[in-house]
Amino acid sequence: MDSNKTGKLIAALRREKGFTQKALAEKMHISDRTISKWERAAGCPDISLLPQLAEILGVSMENILAGQLEPNTTDGGNMRKIKFYVCPACGNVLFATGEGEISCCGRRLEALKPQNMDDSHKAAVEEIENDYYVTLAHPMGKEHYITFAAYVCYDRVLLVKLYPEQSAEVRFPKMRRGQLYLCCSREGLFQQSI
């Protein structure tokens, strides 16, 4: 850890949040001299204070220790680079169109790697009225089921959460060509073009 970089980052984030050294110190139940000491690189935050400091400043502990924030590259936000994440603890489904540090329930999540649909996960897609009606011959038991289906086209993501013992079918409004993503609770993420 570079105390100079860490101090500069703490000072910049504190100002960004509109806190004085005294206000930040009061939130952390420490003295404002301690905050001043960190910002002048005369010392570093104690490891026991890092989680609270990170939460107050709205960054990860790793960023504080590194003394810098890594901005996304300018090509971020491209739907072709969409990534899906599923929390193993609570089942929360998250997605991002660029690089990022995604976490849930205190765990850093890894992006699911999409695979091409195989025979056991192939979706039947019918056009009914102005919708795509997607059905799967996939088990929907308590331990093995499709957790979500998402339809991604160039400017939007439509995501439907599925649950055990529910039928494996969804409807999406018909849009331009896109990708269908299905997440199996055991075998991961699958994709197919629509």
Side-chain angles (χ1 to χ4, degrees):
M1 173 169 56
D2 182 336
S3 59
N4 194 30
K5 286 171 116 179
T6 298
K8 285 181 181 178
L9 179 64
I10 291 170
L13 292 170
R14 175 182 59 76
R15 287 185 199 106
E16 187 178 290
K17 295 281 185 185
F19 297 141
T20 62
Q21 288 180 345
K22 185 173 177 90
L24 179 57
E26 286 174 359
K27 285 185 171 293
M28 296 188 66
H29 307 290
I30 58 177
S31 77
D32 57 341
R33 289 189 312 263
T34 303
I35 303 294
S36 174
K37 187 174 161 185
W38 297 344
E39 291 182 1
R40 290 182 289 112
C44 292
D46 186 86
I47 193 80
S48 64
L49 297 174
L50 282 176
Q52 183 183 17
L53 180 62
E55 173 132 357
I56 291 169
L57 296 178
V59 297
S60 71
M61 290 187 299
E62 292 85 6
N63 290 127
I64 292 174
L65 291 171
Q68 63 185 8
L69 299 176
E70 292 292 325
N72 281 339
T73 57
T74 56
D75 67 342
N78 188 331
M79 291 300 226
R80 283 181 260 139
K81 296 183 181 194
I82 194 163
K83 293 178 172 76
F84 290 93
Y85 304 82
V86 176
C87 177
C90 70
N92 196 9
V93 178
L94 305 144
F95 66 89
T97 58
E99 294 298 321
E101 290 182 21
I102 309 294
S103 63
C104 187
C105 296
R107 295 175 174 88
R108 180 175 290 162
L109 304 179
E110 294 294 324
L112 300 174
K113 298 201 183 333
Q115 1 177 6
N116 290 327
M117 298 274 188
D118 59 16
D119 290 337
S120 62
H121 294 92
K122 191 122 179 111
V125 181
E126 294 179 64
E127 290 184 33
I128 298 178
E129 297 169 356
N130 288 327
D131 291 343
Y132 287 125
Y133 181 60
V134 180
T135 57
L136 294 141
H138 190 281
M140 291 296 283
K142 289 187 180 198
E143 300 297 320
H144 187 203
Y145 62 99
I146 299 296
T147 61
F148 72 86
Y151 179 44
V152 179
C153 65
Y154 81 99
D155 67 344
R156 66 194 68 198
V157 176
L158 301 172
L159 189 135
V160 177
K161 185 88 169 96
L162 298 171
Y163 298 94
E165 300 179 358
Q166 172 183 353
S167 59
E169 58 187 39
V170 293
R171 283 179 86 139
F172 293 111
K174 190 175 172 185
M175 296 181 290
R176 295 186 175 112
R177 286 186 15 216
Q179 289 289 317
L180 174 66
Y181 291 90
L182 301 168
C183 185
C184 174
S185 61
R186 283 192 187 160
E187 298 172 53
L189 189 65
F190 293 89
Q191 71 178 6
Q192 115 183 16
S193 293
I194 293 185

